[in-house]
Every structure is written in C-alpha cells, then in structure tokens.
C-alpha cells in the first residue's frame, strides 16, 4: 500500500471543526498522515500546520464542497493520480436543516441529502475497493442518535442518519473476514457549530446538556480502531437509545417533538 511519507494515510471529511477536527487530531497523534477535506480552506490550512508541527505528520488539504455531486470523484481521482492510498476513511461531513418540513428550504434539504447520504456513500464506493484489494482498511461513518427515532422538525435530517446507520451496519457484515471494518458513530447533542448553523440554538433539546466534541471523537476513534460496528457515546445517549427500543414509537416521537421545539424544558 502506497502511503504518504510511508505512514498509514487517513482521509477525514468535515475536518475543519467539531468532531472531524478532533478525529483528525487523534489520527495525527497516532502517526497517521492525513488528507483533510472541508469547504473552508483557511481553517484546513491552519489545522494542517498545527498537526504537522505537533505530530510530525504529512497533511494534505483538499477544499471541497461535498454538496456538489462531483466532489467525491474529484477527491478520489486527485489522490489516485498522485499515488496516495487511503487506509482509513472518516465520513464525518454533515449538516442539518431544522424546521417544519412543509416550510423548510427544499434546496438546503437537497444539499443536506447530498452531503449526509450521497457523498458518504460515494466516498465509500470509491475508496473501499482499494482497501479490499489490500486486505486492510477502516471506515468510520458519523451517524447520530437521531437514527434510532423519527425526529419531528428534523424529519429529513433524522432520515439521512437512519440511512447512515443502516448502510454502515450492512456494509460491516458484507466485509466480515476481509480485513476491512466499518464503524458507525452515533453521537447525541454535541458541543460544535452544528446547532448554530441549523438555527437550533433555542431548542429545548440543547438545555439537557451536551457532550464535548473531543469526548465524542475519542469514543468513535476507539471503536474505529478496535473494529467495533457501532458506538453510542455517553450514558445519556445510551439511555435514549434504550428508550427508543422499549417505548412505543408514537410516544417517543411526540416527546422528541416537544424537545425539538424552542422554549424552556
């Protein structure tokens, strides 16, 4: 396997902030050279310089908007042309469109589906064959606890994350015994820029506490490196998932709708 500077190469999408930023740091700490992908080149450049300085790794920056259909192929083609093989793929990029579906922005929802579902799938499609041929590789797909429960006022977002979880678990089974593992990370509310971008800062859901992005990334990283198929970080999130399995769906959906609305808890 050809690597950047002779070390395992990892590709992280959505690396400029939040969970992706923290995962990039963890990978660099353990000696992985990196390919960082996000829209904001200036942020990526700052992160790349910091990781080079602190960990002595090689970092390549590829500024791309994954809501553009051609972006995953362009990323793959650029790396393939330069002989860069990817041993770890972290599909972290994603965003939310909040609000009543009958009133929400259809074009933003289309972009969200492209990033959360289509680009994630295409990235796996392009990089997985090389991993299988080499008999080793790891994929981490960032899902959400929203994948376990229908989410009123987040109907499309929740559906995209249900896809990510289902796709990841099915793919993990397909790849059993090949040397390639797939892990889905399902965080709950996490302290990032995510909710500000989605205009959700007034939601009751955020008043019940958030996990730090670093703690979420560490849980996901441990699961990725151990080959686990799924991880839900945090006791509160694990309890939420438990409730989703035992409480009638109508009750959970109604409670979730209350939490998603603005107001005091």
């Amino acid at each position: 396997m050809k690597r950047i500077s002779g070390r395992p190469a990892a590709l992280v999408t959505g690396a400029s902030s939040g969970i992706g930023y923290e995962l990039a740091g963890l990978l660099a700490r353990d000696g992985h050279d990196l390919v960082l992908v996000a829209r904001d080149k200036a942020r990526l450049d700052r992160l790349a310089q910091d990781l080079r300085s602190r960990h002595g790794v090689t970092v390549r920056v590829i500024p791309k908007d994954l809501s553009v259909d051609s972006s995953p192929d362009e990323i793959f083609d650029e790396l393939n042309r330069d002989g860069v093989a990817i041993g770890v793929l972290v599909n972290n990029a994603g965003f939310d469109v909040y609000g009543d579906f009958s009133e929400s922005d259809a074009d933003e929802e289309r972009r969200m589906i492209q990033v959360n579902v289509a680009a994630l799938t295409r990235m796996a499609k392009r990089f997985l064959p090389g991993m299988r041929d080499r008999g080793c590789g790891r994929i981490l797909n960032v899902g959400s606890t929203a994948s376990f429960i229908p989410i009123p006022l987040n109907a499309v977002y929740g559906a995209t994350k249900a896809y990510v979880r289902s796709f990841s678990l099915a793919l993990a089974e397909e790849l059993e015994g090949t040397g390639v593992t797939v892990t889905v990370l399902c965080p709950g509310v996490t302290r990032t820029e995510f909710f500000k971008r989605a205009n959700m800062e007034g939601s009751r859901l955020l008043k019940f506490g958030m996990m730090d992005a670093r703690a979420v990334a560490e849980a996901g990283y441990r699961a990725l490196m151990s080959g686990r198929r799924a991880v839900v970080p945090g006791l509160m999130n694990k309890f939420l998932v438990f409730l989703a399995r035992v409480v009638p769906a109508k009750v959970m959906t109604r409670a979730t709708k209350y939490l998603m609305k603005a107001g005091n808890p």
Side-chain angles (χ1 to χ4, degrees):
M1 170 179 168
K2 186 169 182 178
R3 302 180 175 98
I4 306 175
S5 300
R7 286 187 287 260
L11 189 159
V12 183
T13 69
S16 60
S17 65
I19 297 169
Y21 178 97
E22 298 293 347
L23 284 165
L26 292 169
L27 286 157
R29 179 199 66 189
D30 286 352
H32 292 80
D33 288 326
L34 294 168
V35 179
L36 305 179
V37 177
R39 295 181 303 164
D40 193 327
K41 184 179 185 302
R43 280 190 173 188
L44 288 180
D45 285 339
R46 288 194 295 271
L47 173 59
Q49 184 56 46
D50 177 58
L51 296 178
R52 291 181 191 117
S53 298
R54 287 195 291 128
H55 302 293
V57 296
T58 298
V59 185
R60 182 174 185 144
V61 166
I62 303 181
K64 287 288 181 184
D65 182 351
L66 289 174
S67 71
V68 177
D69 182 67
S70 60
S71 288
D73 289 331
E74 291 168 358
I75 293 166
F76 177 84
D77 290 343
E78 177 179 330
L79 295 174
N80 190 54
R81 181 182 65 244
D82 293 344
V84 177
I86 297 300
V88 178
L89 172 63
V90 177
N91 282 312
N92 168 74
F95 71 97
D96 187 8
V97 177
Y98 173 71
D100 191 308
F101 177 72
S102 63
E103 300 172 356
S104 52
D105 188 312
D107 189 56
E108 276 295 284
E109 285 169 343
R110 179 199 62 76
R111 292 181 64 250
M112 178 175 64
I113 293 169
Q114 179 65 35
V115 174
N116 294 10
V117 173
L120 176 146
T121 305
R122 188 63 177 165
M123 292 289 284
K125 191 76 167 180
R126 295 310 306 268
F127 288 102
L128 176 57
M131 294 180 185
R132 285 202 64 162
D133 289 346
R134 294 185 295 269
C136 62
R138 301 181 189 278
I139 298 174
L140 177 66
N141 293 327
V142 178
S144 170
T145 52
S147 64
F148 294 90
I149 311 165
I151 310 290
L153 304 180
N154 249 187
V156 180
Y157 173 79
T160 67
K161 292 305 183 178
Y163 171 90
V164 171
R165 179 169 168 267
S166 178
F167 170 70
S168 300
L169 294 175
L171 193 56
E173 180 61 29
E174 286 185 18
L175 293 168
E176 180 71 22
T178 66
V180 182
T181 63
V182 180
T183 302
V184 59
L185 168 62
C186 296
V189 179
T190 305
R191 191 172 292 105
T192 67
E193 298 173 4
F194 179 90
F195 297 101
K196 182 177 181 180
R197 180 178 179 184
N199 295 315
M200 284 181 63
E201 291 176 297
S203 170
R204 292 186 180 101
L205 183 66
L206 307 190
K207 302 185 191 319
F208 285 84
M210 293 190 249
M211 284 190 70
D212 289 329
R214 176 74 177 197
V216 171
E218 286 175 344
Y221 186 68
R222 288 193 299 269
L224 170 69
M225 290 303 162
S226 65
R228 289 176 59 189
R229 293 190 178 188
V231 58
V232 178
L235 291 176
M236 183 63 72
N237 295 324
K238 288 180 172 64
F239 180 63
L240 174 64
V241 170
F242 169 76
L243 288 179
R245 289 171 171 156
V246 300
V247 175
K250 184 175 181 179
V251 175
M252 284 299 296
T253 305
R254 186 165 293 172
T256 303
K257 181 180 179 180
Y258 171 81
L259 291 173
M260 291 298 296
K261 287 183 176 181
N264 294 318

